[in-house]
Each structure stands twice: as C-alpha cells, then as structure tokens.
Amino acid sequence: MISIRPELKTLLFFITYFTIAFIFEKTSPSGVCTPGLGFLLFMLSIPVSIIYTLILFFKYHRSQNKEYLNSIYLISGIWVLIFITLNFNN
C-alpha cells in the first residue's frame, strides 16, 4: 500500500477544497444578500480546518510523529496567508 505523508495529504486537501470553492463562486456568484455556494464553502472551511487540526493533534499525541505536527503548522500557515490576502485585498 502506498503511504502518503500527512503534510502532502493536508496540502492536497486544502488546494482541492479552495479550488472547488473558487469554481463554485465563479459558477454561482454571491450577491449582496444571497451568498453563493463558493462563499458558503469558504465559511465552512473554518470549522473543517478546526476539526482537521484537532484530529491531527490527537494523532500526533498518540504516535509522537512529527509529520502530524508539521501538518498542523501547514494549516496555520494557510490560514495566515488567507488572512493576509484578504486583509490587503481591500
């Protein structure tokens, strides 16, 4: 069985997730009072990443594998980049 590192899984998951959210935002754009599917997926990404971080945190404490800790750092870095991008986009 092919074993994929957790960092790569995390990176592929978020790239795929935000690509799908971007595509859905372009196909059904958000309006002033009507959020589109892309916006809803973006808002849903916050609890998804929190739950995913908690799962990785428990896996790290169970196995003491540094790869899980690196995945947690990767998720934090992704959110910092998103915050900086949205902050300077205005």
Side-chain angles (χ1 to χ4, degrees), residues 1 14 17-18 24 47-48 62 65 67 69 78-79 84 87:
M1 184 171 151
F14 278 103
Y17 190 87
F18 286 119
F24 283 160
V48 165
R62 188 180 60 195
N65 190 354
E67 293 174 347
L69 192 60
I78 288 170
W79 278 106
I84 290 171
N87 208 11

Side-chain angles (χ1 to χ4, degrees), residues 38-69:
F39 178 75
L40 293 176
L41 279 176
F42 180 73
M43 286 293 132
L44 188 63
S45 68
I46 297 168
V48 165
S49 63
I50 290 171
I51 292 169
Y52 191 53
T53 302
L54 288 174
I55 290 170
L56 288 171
F57 187 70
F58 289 132
K59 283 183 178 182
Y60 169 70
H61 278 292
R62 188 180 60 195
S63 68
Q64 293 298 321
N65 190 354
K66 291 284 188 180
E67 293 174 347
Y68 294 119
L69 192 60

Side-chain angles (χ1 to χ4, degrees), residues 2-41:
I2 298 174
S3 178
I4 300 175
R5 293 176 52 128
E7 298 99 340
L8 188 58
K9 286 181 189 177
T10 302
L11 193 60
L12 287 175
F13 171 75
F14 278 103
I15 288 172
T16 307
Y17 190 87
F18 286 119
T19 302
I20 290 171
F22 180 75
I23 290 170
F24 283 160
E25 181 63 31
K26 292 299 178 185
T27 57
S28 63
S30 301
V32 177
C33 295
T34 56
L37 190 57
F39 178 75
L40 293 176
L41 279 176

